[in-house]
Amino acid sequence: MTFEEYVAARLPALLRQATVLAGDPHVAEDVVQDVLIKAQPKWARICELDAPDAYLRKMIVNELLSARRRVAAALRRERAQWPAPAQNDVDVIVLREAILQVIRTLPVRQRLVIALRFYEDMSDADIAALLDCTEGTVRSQASRALAKLREMAATQPVLEDQ
């Protein structure tokens, strides 16, 4: 499979994964673009691997963890003004946005662990391998993130009623 064929087939999935991990669709687009630029010259070697998707996912995680990305993403999130979706169910939209805002406040590693565990449905062992840490670290990051989310849910009137 050529690089162009792979990108045509897998770009939407890569963007979804990056969006969940980054918490911001604009940052996700930038990260995926940077990763694909880095992957193209190495494509002959990457496509010979058993799981090129896993290799690119690891590249996305590494790019998100870089200090340059964290600073730029934080600045973009502060300036972001999300357009309201054209739906009639305002309560669902308000709740979803409130949850996303709370998740965006988590530190990067905690946000990654939560996204990988609950969106990608990955096991602690798989997350640990992807993040180059121990399973205990994954569990402690998840525990801290969930505690923080519970604490913030108790103080958010929109989240309390749900």
Side-chain angles (χ1 to χ4, degrees), residues 66-92:
S66 73
R68 179 178 56 87
R69 274 290 162 210
R70 282 195 301 262
V71 171
L75 292 174
R76 281 191 208 110
R77 277 196 306 275
E78 289 174 10
R79 293 189 310 252
Q81 296 295 321
W82 298 95
Q87 292 183 4
N88 292 332
D89 197 356
V90 176
D91 292 337
V92 172

Short mmCIF file of all heavy atoms in Angstrom, two decimals, residues 66-92:
data_model
loop_
_atom_site.label_atom_id
_atom_site.label_comp_id
_atom_site.label_asym_id
_atom_site.label_seq_id
_atom_site.Cartn_x
_atom_site.Cartn_y
_atom_site.Cartn_z
N SER A 66 5.02 16.41 23.39
CA SER A 66 6.15 17.34 23.28
C SER A 66 5.79 18.67 23.95
O SER A 66 4.65 19.12 23.94
CB SER A 66 6.55 17.57 21.82
OG SER A 66 5.59 18.37 21.19
N ALA A 67 6.75 19.28 24.54
CA ALA A 67 6.52 20.53 25.28
C ALA A 67 5.99 21.63 24.35
O ALA A 67 5.11 22.40 24.72
CB ALA A 67 7.82 20.98 25.94
N ARG A 68 6.50 21.68 23.16
CA ARG A 68 6.08 22.70 22.20
C ARG A 68 4.58 22.57 21.93
O ARG A 68 3.86 23.56 21.90
CB ARG A 68 6.87 22.53 20.91
CG ARG A 68 6.54 23.49 19.81
CD ARG A 68 7.44 23.26 18.60
NE ARG A 68 7.39 21.90 18.10
CZ ARG A 68 6.49 21.46 17.22
NH1 ARG A 68 5.57 22.27 16.77
NH2 ARG A 68 6.53 20.22 16.79
N ARG A 69 4.09 21.36 21.78
CA ARG A 69 2.67 21.12 21.51
C ARG A 69 1.81 21.50 22.70
O ARG A 69 0.74 22.06 22.55
CB ARG A 69 2.42 19.65 21.19
CG ARG A 69 2.60 19.28 19.81
CD ARG A 69 1.53 19.86 18.94
NE ARG A 69 2.03 19.79 17.60
CZ ARG A 69 1.77 20.60 16.63
NH1 ARG A 69 0.94 21.58 16.80
NH2 ARG A 69 2.31 20.46 15.46
N ARG A 70 2.27 21.13 23.91
CA ARG A 70 1.47 21.43 25.10
C ARG A 70 1.25 22.92 25.24
O ARG A 70 0.14 23.38 25.53
CB ARG A 70 2.15 20.87 26.34
CG ARG A 70 1.96 19.38 26.50
CD ARG A 70 2.32 18.95 27.91
NE ARG A 70 3.69 19.27 28.24
CZ ARG A 70 4.70 18.41 28.18
NH1 ARG A 70 4.48 17.19 27.80
NH2 ARG A 70 5.91 18.78 28.49
N VAL A 71 2.30 23.71 25.06
CA VAL A 71 2.18 25.16 25.21
C VAL A 71 1.27 25.73 24.12
O VAL A 71 0.36 26.51 24.41
CB VAL A 71 3.58 25.82 25.17
CG1 VAL A 71 3.46 27.33 25.10
CG2 VAL A 71 4.38 25.41 26.40
N ALA A 72 1.49 25.34 22.89
CA ALA A 72 0.68 25.85 21.78
C ALA A 72 -0.78 25.44 21.94
O ALA A 72 -1.69 26.25 21.70
CB ALA A 72 1.24 25.35 20.46
N ALA A 73 -1.03 24.21 22.36
CA ALA A 73 -2.40 23.74 22.53
C ALA A 73 -3.11 24.50 23.65
O ALA A 73 -4.28 24.85 23.51
CB ALA A 73 -2.41 22.24 22.82
N ALA A 74 -2.41 24.76 24.73
CA ALA A 74 -3.02 25.51 25.83
C ALA A 74 -3.41 26.90 25.38
O ALA A 74 -4.50 27.39 25.71
CB ALA A 74 -2.06 25.58 27.02
N LEU A 75 -2.56 27.53 24.62
CA LEU A 75 -2.87 28.87 24.11
C LEU A 75 -4.07 28.84 23.16
O LEU A 75 -4.94 29.70 23.23
CB LEU A 75 -1.65 29.47 23.41
CG LEU A 75 -0.47 29.81 24.32
CD1 LEU A 75 0.72 30.27 23.49
CD2 LEU A 75 -0.86 30.87 25.33
N ARG A 76 -4.12 27.85 22.30
CA ARG A 76 -5.25 27.75 21.37
C ARG A 76 -6.56 27.48 22.10
O ARG A 76 -7.60 28.02 21.74
CB ARG A 76 -5.00 26.64 20.35
CG ARG A 76 -4.08 27.06 19.25
CD ARG A 76 -4.09 26.00 18.14
NE ARG A 76 -2.80 26.05 17.49
CZ ARG A 76 -1.88 25.12 17.56
NH1 ARG A 76 -2.10 24.02 18.23
NH2 ARG A 76 -0.74 25.25 16.94
N ARG A 77 -6.52 26.62 23.12
CA ARG A 77 -7.75 26.30 23.85
C ARG A 77 -8.30 27.53 24.55
O ARG A 77 -9.51 27.71 24.64
CB ARG A 77 -7.49 25.20 24.87
CG ARG A 77 -7.54 23.82 24.29
CD ARG A 77 -7.66 22.77 25.38
NE ARG A 77 -6.64 22.86 26.38
CZ ARG A 77 -5.43 22.29 26.29
NH1 ARG A 77 -5.12 21.61 25.23
NH2 ARG A 77 -4.56 22.41 27.26
N GLU A 78 -7.42 28.38 25.06
CA GLU A 78 -7.87 29.59 25.73
C GLU A 78 -8.58 30.54 24.77
O GLU A 78 -9.50 31.24 25.15
CB GLU A 78 -6.69 30.31 26.39
CG GLU A 78 -6.14 29.58 27.59
CD GLU A 78 -4.89 30.24 28.14
OE1 GLU A 78 -4.57 31.36 27.70
OE2 GLU A 78 -4.24 29.64 28.99
N ARG A 79 -8.13 30.57 23.53
CA ARG A 79 -8.71 31.48 22.54
C ARG A 79 -9.89 30.88 21.79
O ARG A 79 -10.60 31.60 21.10
CB ARG A 79 -7.64 31.87 21.51
CG ARG A 79 -6.53 32.70 22.09
CD ARG A 79 -5.65 33.25 21.00
NE ARG A 79 -5.22 32.22 20.06
CZ ARG A 79 -3.99 31.72 19.97
NH1 ARG A 79 -3.06 32.16 20.76
NH2 ARG A 79 -3.68 30.81 19.07
N ALA A 80 -10.10 29.60 21.90
CA ALA A 80 -11.12 28.92 21.08
C ALA A 80 -12.53 29.36 21.46
O ALA A 80 -12.88 29.43 22.63
CB ALA A 80 -11.00 27.41 21.23
N GLN A 81 -13.31 29.68 20.45
CA GLN A 81 -14.72 29.97 20.62
C GLN A 81 -15.47 28.94 19.78
O GLN A 81 -15.48 29.02 18.55
CB GLN A 81 -15.05 31.39 20.13
CG GLN A 81 -14.38 32.48 20.91
CD GLN A 81 -14.86 32.52 22.35
OE1 GLN A 81 -16.05 32.32 22.61
NE2 GLN A 81 -13.97 32.75 23.28
N TRP A 82 -16.05 27.95 20.43
CA TRP A 82 -16.69 26.86 19.71
C TRP A 82 -18.05 27.29 19.20
O TRP A 82 -18.87 27.79 19.95
CB TRP A 82 -16.84 25.65 20.63
CG TRP A 82 -15.53 25.14 21.08
CD1 TRP A 82 -14.89 25.45 22.25
CD2 TRP A 82 -14.65 24.30 20.36
NE1 TRP A 82 -13.68 24.84 22.30
CE2 TRP A 82 -13.50 24.13 21.16
CE3 TRP A 82 -14.72 23.68 19.13
CZ2 TRP A 82 -12.44 23.35 20.75
CZ3 TRP A 82 -13.65 22.89 18.73
CH2 TRP A 82 -12.53 22.74 19.53
N PRO A 83 -18.33 27.06 17.91
CA PRO A 83 -19.66 27.36 17.39
C PRO A 83 -20.68 26.38 17.95
O PRO A 83 -20.38 25.21 18.17
CB PRO A 83 -19.51 27.18 15.87
CG PRO A 83 -18.34 26.26 15.71
CD PRO A 83 -17.44 26.52 16.89
N ALA A 84 -21.87 26.87 18.18
CA ALA A 84 -22.93 26.00 18.71
C ALA A 84 -23.45 25.09 17.61
O ALA A 84 -23.76 25.55 16.52
CB ALA A 84 -24.07 26.86 19.26
N PRO A 85 -23.53 23.78 17.87
CA PRO A 85 -24.07 22.86 16.87
C PRO A 85 -25.55 23.17 16.60
O PRO A 85 -26.25 23.65 17.48
CB PRO A 85 -23.93 21.48 17.50
CG PRO A 85 -22.98 21.67 18.63
CD PRO A 85 -23.05 23.11 19.05
N ALA A 86 -25.98 22.87 15.41
CA ALA A 86 -27.37 23.12 15.02
C ALA A 86 -28.25 21.94 15.43
O ALA A 86 -28.65 21.13 14.62
CB ALA A 86 -27.46 23.37 13.53
N GLN A 87 -28.52 21.84 16.74
CA GLN A 87 -29.40 20.80 17.26
C GLN A 87 -30.40 21.45 18.19
O GLN A 87 -30.16 22.51 18.75
CB GLN A 87 -28.61 19.74 18.03
CG GLN A 87 -27.70 18.91 17.18
CD GLN A 87 -27.00 17.83 18.03
OE1 GLN A 87 -27.27 17.70 19.21
NE2 GLN A 87 -26.13 17.08 17.41
N ASN A 88 -31.51 20.79 18.37
CA ASN A 88 -32.55 21.33 19.23
C ASN A 88 -32.37 20.94 20.69
O ASN A 88 -32.89 21.58 21.57
CB ASN A 88 -33.93 20.87 18.75
CG ASN A 88 -34.27 21.49 17.41
OD1 ASN A 88 -33.80 22.58 17.10
ND2 ASN A 88 -35.08 20.81 16.62
N ASP A 89 -31.64 19.89 20.96
CA ASP A 89 -31.49 19.41 22.32
C ASP A 89 -30.38 20.17 23.03
O ASP A 89 -29.25 19.72 23.13
CB ASP A 89 -31.22 17.91 22.31
CG ASP A 89 -31.47 17.29 23.66
OD1 ASP A 89 -31.79 18.00 24.63
OD2 ASP A 89 -31.34 16.06 23.75
N VAL A 90 -30.71 21.33 23.52
CA VAL A 90 -29.74 22.22 24.13
C VAL A 90 -29.10 21.62 25.38
O VAL A 90 -27.91 21.78 25.62
CB VAL A 90 -30.39 23.59 24.47
CG1 VAL A 90 -29.42 24.50 25.20
CG2 VAL A 90 -30.92 24.25 23.21
N ASP A 91 -29.86 20.88 26.17
CA ASP A 91 -29.32 20.28 27.39
C ASP A 91 -28.18 19.32 27.08
O ASP A 91 -27.17 19.31 27.78
CB ASP A 91 -30.41 19.54 28.16
CG ASP A 91 -31.45 20.49 28.74
OD1 ASP A 91 -31.10 21.68 28.93
OD2 ASP A 91 -32.57 20.05 29.00
N VAL A 92 -28.32 18.52 26.03
CA VAL A 92 -27.27 17.58 25.65
C VAL A 92 -26.02 18.34 25.21
O VAL A 92 -24.91 17.98 25.58
CB VAL A 92 -27.78 16.63 24.52
CG1 VAL A 92 -26.64 15.79 23.98
CG2 VAL A 92 -28.90 15.77 25.04
#
